[in-house]
Amino acid sequence: MSTEELWALHEEIASRLADALLAEKRVLEDRLRQLKGGVEERVISPTGRRPYPAVVPKFRNPDRPSETWAGRGKTPRWLAAKLKSGKQIDDFRIRHVA
């Protein structure tokens, strides 16, 4: 085979491979679309964290009622100081009316 014939053969093979790849890609994308159709997509918040329900405060500072604590995380300074002075944590518990 001459160089021109080999080059023509090369171009034909490359063209057929490209067509085969595109056809396979279309088949796979259709399958993926069908699979996604039955599954709800997750909603991701802008921060990247999953949404958590609102946490109701459980403890309130009697000196400054706007200061509350839900009982999660580090104990606030106002509560730590009151506990050191001998008070009990239940003294600061918010009584919820049901």
Side-chain angles (χ1 to χ4, degrees):
M1 288 184 121
S2 70
T3 308
E4 290 87 24
E5 290 174 336
L6 287 173
W7 188 251
L9 182 61
H10 166 73
E11 287 181 343
E12 184 181 342
I13 291 171
S15 173
R16 285 187 184 181
L17 282 175
D19 292 342
L21 285 174
L22 284 175
E24 184 69 23
K25 183 179 176 185
R26 278 190 224 109
V27 168
L28 291 174
E29 286 174 345
D30 288 342
R31 283 186 193 170
L32 185 61
R33 245 184 261 109
Q34 288 174 352
L35 289 174
K36 278 188 174 181
V39 179
E40 293 180 20
E41 290 190 31
R42 279 195 209 178
V43 176
I44 299 175
S45 68
T47 61
R49 296 178 58 179
R50 71 180 179 102
Y52 287 93
V55 180
V56 179
K58 295 181 179 106
F59 305 97
R60 176 170 282 132
N61 184 354
D63 300 333
R64 298 180 76 188
S66 64
E67 293 180 344
T68 59
W69 184 50
R72 292 185 175 183
K74 192 172 180 181
T75 307
R77 290 181 184 155
W78 62 264
L79 183 57
K82 301 276 186 183
L83 294 175
K84 269 190 178 178
S85 70
K87 299 239 181 183
Q88 297 293 318
I89 196 163
D90 286 333
D91 298 338
F92 306 100
R93 189 171 300 275
I94 298 172
R95 307 283 183 239
H96 291 287
V97 178

